Amino acid sequence: MIAFIPFSENIYIVSTSFDLLIVLALVTGMLPIFFYAGWASKSKYSFIGGLRVVNQMISGEIPLWLSALSAAIFYGTLNHIEIVERSSFLSFVFLLPAFLIFITATLVVTDRPPFDIPEAEQEIVYGFMTEFGGFNYTILIVAKLIELFALYSLAVILFLGGFKGPVFPGILWFFLKLGVLYLFTFVVRASMPRIRMDQLLKFCWKVLTPSALLNLAFIIFVKMMLT
């Protein structure tokens, strides 16, 4: 996923016409990994934890895709560098609802507080990772952290102008904006209690997904008015 993230005008590994689509597809492809991690443990508790993480990730990925699609429609491209070049203060204003939906869905997909339900630190049973330790446990934790980094980097590109900024080098602006998103994550972690799975599912399917659909319709209308 990180290979498709441009940290500045010249610092990136690969750039294609379908950057956004590829990154979102890779995020979706991580879902069976965590399910099979719970299933392979041959423990009913880990298997149930795998089912819980599947429920949560599917519920969060739909609004994540819809909000990212709103940005792609507004900019008229799926290439990350072109998206950054076409971004402006006007685009930030129109895409602000999509940005808020994307960040919320990112916390859901990556199991960050208050949505850290599959592997809640407050519980003895550690979700789908109950039977894992050592290097295998580290791989699963690092996978989640890399997913969070990639999605926050994607949020910076789609909604915050990427590496654009005055005076300082682009890579510095990119990581400054990324740091603000991480600071937001820490504030949410320290200030909000963890919610239940049923509350999460109701929030995603009755609030977040309909909001993402309405926002998508709004962006399509705005795009028609501007062209």
Side-chain angles (χ1 to χ4, degrees):
M1 292 183 285
I2 297 174
F4 296 89
I5 302 297
F7 299 104
S8 73
E9 293 181 2
N10 302 314
I11 302 178
Y12 58 87
I13 297 176
V14 62
S15 177
T16 70
S17 301
F18 305 99
D19 288 344
L20 179 59
L21 187 62
I22 294 172
V23 171
L24 292 175
L26 290 173
V27 170
T28 305
M30 293 185 69
L31 190 150
I33 295 175
F34 302 113
F35 171 75
Y36 289 135
W39 174 77
S41 299
K42 297 183 179 179
S43 165
K44 62 180 179 181
Y45 299 108
S46 298
F47 180 70
I48 292 172
L51 294 176
R52 283 158 64 95
V53 76
V54 167
N55 281 335
Q56 179 165 335
M57 292 185 71
I58 290 177
S59 301
E61 283 174 358
I62 293 175
L64 185 80
W65 271 80
L66 291 173
S67 55
L69 180 61
S70 300
I73 291 174
F74 186 85
Y75 293 118
T77 180
L78 294 171
N79 181 268
H80 288 161
I81 296 179
E82 292 180 0
I83 288 175
V84 173
E85 291 174 348
R86 298 178 186 182
S87 63
S88 63
F89 179 76
L90 184 64
S91 66
F92 172 76
V93 172
F94 282 124
L95 292 173
L96 182 59
F99 171 64
L100 297 176
I101 294 171
F102 188 92
I103 293 300
T104 306
T106 296
L107 295 178
V108 174
V109 170
T110 57
D111 307 336
R112 296 298 96 189
F115 309 113
D116 55 331
I117 300 169
E119 62 272 6
E121 295 175 353
Q122 299 90 336
E123 297 178 358
I124 297 176
V125 180
Y126 203 41
F128 66 97
M129 294 186 290
T130 302
E131 304 295 330
F132 288 89
F135 185 70
N136 291 332
Y137 172 80
T138 303
I139 289 177
L140 291 172
I141 291 297
V142 170
K144 278 292 184 183
L145 294 177
I146 291 176
E147 184 182 27
L148 179 65
F149 177 83
L151 287 176
Y152 270 173
S153 299
L154 192 61
V156 170
I157 292 170
L158 294 177
F159 307 106
L160 301 181
F163 49 78
K164 268 188 173 181
V167 184
F168 300 111
I171 190 171
L172 183 60
W173 279 110
F174 185 92
F175 281 101
L176 182 62
K177 297 171 184 177
L178 191 65
V180 172
L181 294 182
Y182 271 101
L183 179 62
F184 166 76
T185 304
F186 298 146
V187 170
V188 171
R189 183 188 185 93
S191 59
M192 296 187 66
R194 181 169 59 88
I195 66 175
R196 302 192 311 267
M197 176 61 78
D198 62 315
Q199 294 173 328
L200 169 69
L201 295 178
K202 288 180 181 178
F203 172 71
C204 286
W205 291 106
K206 293 185 177 181
V207 178
L208 206 59
T209 300
S211 300
L213 287 170
L214 288 174
N215 176 74
L216 181 61
F218 168 72
I219 292 299
I220 293 174
F221 175 77
V222 170
K223 185 68 175 179
M224 292 172 60
M225 292 296 101
L226 294 177
T227 55

